[in-house]
Amino acid sequence: MSGPRVAERLAADGITTVGQIAALTDDAANALDARLGPFTGRMGRNRWLEQARFLAAGDVQGIEAVFGRL
């Protein structure tokens, strides 16, 4: 994820933790992504859901296997 502007947009939707992103359904994630304005599409490109689910589960080995060392 990136930058304070994205964080502000997420916070406006009540998303303030990685766990909240991890808990999103695909439909909810698509709806949220559509509201990100100039950042629309970033959730999919950067694989936010996948990353968030690893992080929320505390699966450091899993995320490093897929995305590289933290």
Side-chain angles (χ1 to χ4, degrees), residues 6-51:
V6 173
E8 289 170 6
R9 289 183 181 270
L10 291 173
D13 271 284
I15 305 292
T16 58
T17 68
V18 170
Q20 289 172 299
I21 294 171
L24 292 172
T25 64
D26 289 338
D27 288 340
N30 289 333
L32 175 61
D33 185 55
R35 292 190 300 273
L36 291 179
F39 304 104
T40 297
R42 185 166 288 185
M43 288 181 73
R45 281 191 309 274
N46 294 344
R47 299 164 59 186
W48 287 7
L49 288 179
E50 190 176 357
Q51 290 184 57

Side-chain angles (χ1 to χ4, degrees), residues 46-47 49-52 54 59-70:
N46 294 344
R47 299 164 59 186
L49 288 179
E50 190 176 357
Q51 290 184 57
F54 279 120
D59 187 356
V60 174
Q61 289 180 332
I63 197 168
E64 287 183 343
V66 175
F67 295 98
R69 190 172 169 107
L70 291 179

